[in-house]
Amino acid sequence: MKNRRYQSVIFDLGAVLVDWNPRYLYSKIFSTPEAVEDFLENVCTSDWNEAQDEGRSLADGTDLLIAQHPQYEAEIRAFYGRWKEMLGGPIAETVDILRQLHESGQYKLYALTNWSNETFPIALMEYRFLQWFDGIVVSGRERMRKPQPDFYQLLLDRYQVDKSSTLFIDDNLRNVTAAEAFGIESIHFHSPQQLRQELEQRNILKAPAVPASGV
């Protein structure tokens, strides 16, 4: 039976449903894990990548970084030139949770993702489960991103979602905290097992029946 408290579930994508990690690529380029971490902390940083997620073109972001770190031109160009190598595939256990929710037909399902509009079409081609969503809002397309309140509001307005009956799932605590402050109940994703348990506790997913003990 549907839990009437919840009408909609909003998923983040990266690190929740899609295993994306630049280390998959850069471990092939650099000879040591320490060199990989140094490059990602000081050259191709999260802040730099998020500017592309917020709508800056990949070409502009790449050129800007090469101007700052010309000694790493080849490595910087690899970030988007070999971007597909950063994809580790679907996170199968979370996709199974999404499948259960989709097949139940009891909840509206949405995705709210910080993702470049230039690379997101690759994900759409790779992952058929993205078709299960009733709507997807992509930061690079909208030129805004989590944790900006306007980005959450955009999804609510576009799909006429009532935030008081919505649950949001994200692996980034910053985004979870912002959603909670905005008035959307949230789950900080750590693992598919933890997510399933929390959804069962909210009666959004049905817990498996406990086998009867033998007589």
Side-chain angles (χ1 to χ4, degrees), residues 38-56:
D38 181 72
F39 181 77
L40 294 176
E41 289 175 11
N42 297 296
V43 183
C44 286
T45 65
S46 294
D47 287 345
W48 170 78
N49 182 51
E50 285 194 338
Q52 283 72 258
D53 287 349
E54 198 171 359
R56 184 169 66 188

Side-chain angles (χ1 to χ4, degrees), residues 54-208:
E54 198 171 359
R56 184 169 66 188
S57 75
L58 306 189
D60 286 349
T62 300
D63 290 345
L64 175 67
L65 208 57
I66 290 171
Q68 296 172 352
H69 304 278
Q71 71 276 28
Y72 286 115
E73 178 174 358
E75 293 85 353
I76 292 167
R77 290 195 184 281
F79 195 97
Y80 293 114
R82 297 172 61 180
W83 182 85
K84 196 172 178 179
E85 294 177 54
M86 300 181 188
L87 295 174
I91 300 175
E93 296 89 345
T94 317
V95 173
D96 188 56
I97 291 171
L98 180 67
R99 178 185 291 108
Q100 287 182 253
L101 294 174
H102 171 66
E103 291 178 350
S104 77
Q106 295 181 334
Y107 304 95
K108 290 289 187 180
L109 302 174
Y110 302 101
L112 187 70
T113 182
N114 285 357
W115 204 307
S116 164
N117 194 42
E118 295 177 67
T119 57
F120 191 68
I122 299 173
L124 285 174
M125 292 176 61
E126 288 286 317
Y127 306 122
R128 294 186 63 184
F129 65 80
L130 295 176
Q131 306 302 320
W132 300 344
F133 288 106
D134 295 286
I136 301 176
V137 179
V138 180
S139 62
R141 187 176 302 152
E142 309 300 338
R143 305 189 72 83
M144 62 177 75
R145 62 175 173 81
K146 295 174 288 187
Q148 298 165 0
D150 288 351
F151 193 45
Y152 300 88
Q153 187 66 56
L154 177 64
L155 185 148
L156 301 181
D157 291 344
R158 179 168 295 169
Y159 299 107
Q160 300 180 8
V161 175
D162 178 5
K163 67 181 178 181
S164 67
S165 60
T166 297
L167 183 67
F168 173 66
I169 301 161
D170 199 300
D171 69 297
N172 190 316
L173 182 58
R174 175 197 66 179
N175 298 337
V176 167
T177 301
E180 292 275 7
F182 187 63
I184 302 175
E185 182 182 343
S186 301
I187 292 174
H188 184 202
F189 178 90
H190 297 285
S191 70
Q193 296 76 22
Q194 166 253 347
L195 175 61
R196 180 176 291 278
Q197 182 178 45
E198 296 212 32
L199 293 176
E200 289 173 355
Q201 289 171 352
R202 291 169 171 82
N203 295 318
I204 293 174
L205 283 181
K206 185 176 180 180

